[in-house]
Amino acid sequence: MCDPRRSSQCLHQNGVLTYGSGDTWVDSCQQCQCLQGQVDCWPLSCPPVDCEFTAVAEGECCARCVTVPCQADSVRNDITKTCTDEHSSVPRFSGSSWVKHGTECTLCQCKNGHICCSVDPMCL
């Protein structure tokens, strides 16, 4: 049976869309549901990923496996896989980061034996 009363409807977070009681939607990586005029949201449940390097693509909520270490947002760090940069003979552990020798704005990070460097645009 349909409840036509306005009080049982919910207004979406954007202030434009309305939902009926029982409707569900995803907003900002949260699952939301309208229940008799009240909006209840909880974190979106993502499937587990079992890989060395993962990333969350733009516009998506859940991580997926990637093969290119420097594209990874998250790394399952392996302390046996170290990095050695050209200006240091001391091995750097996976997960460590440093400012590249001779620069002020290039930050490097060791990702399981792979050196990934990027320029910080806020530094320039």
Side-chain angles (χ1 to χ4, degrees):
M1 185 170 164
C2 185
D3 183 353
R5 294 176 297 168
R6 260 191 164 337
S7 63
S8 67
Q9 292 184 334
C10 297
L11 190 62
H12 184 273
Q13 291 89 327
N14 66 15
V16 178
L17 299 170
T18 56
Y19 294 98
S21 188
D23 288 349
T24 61
W25 66 96
V26 174
D27 184 67
S28 301
C29 297
Q30 291 192 327
Q31 180 76 42
C32 297
Q33 184 174 26
C34 175
L35 293 170
Q36 298 175 343
Q38 298 292 318
V39 176
D40 189 18
C41 296
W42 55 93
L44 194 62
S45 179
C46 292
V49 287
D50 185 25
C51 49
E52 187 175 17
F53 304 106
T54 61
V56 177
E58 190 173 331
E60 294 187 12
C61 299
C62 297
R64 64 175 65 187
C65 296
V66 294
T67 55
V68 180
C70 293
Q71 292 177 346
D73 298 327
S74 181
V75 177
R76 187 186 304 144
N77 289 318
D78 181 343
I79 60 168
T80 66
K81 296 178 180 177
T82 60
C83 298
T84 305
D85 69 84
E86 67 268 22
H87 295 284
S88 173
S89 59
V90 178
R92 299 181 187 271
F93 289 107
S94 187
S96 65
S97 58
W98 64 95
V99 175
K100 187 174 181 177
H101 180 77
T103 71
E104 291 180 8
C105 298
T106 302
L107 185 66
C108 297
Q109 186 177 18
C110 180
K111 294 185 177 183
N112 285 355
H114 302 272
I115 297 176
C116 302
C117 298
S118 60
V119 176
D120 179 359
M122 301 300 288
C123 177
L124 299 175

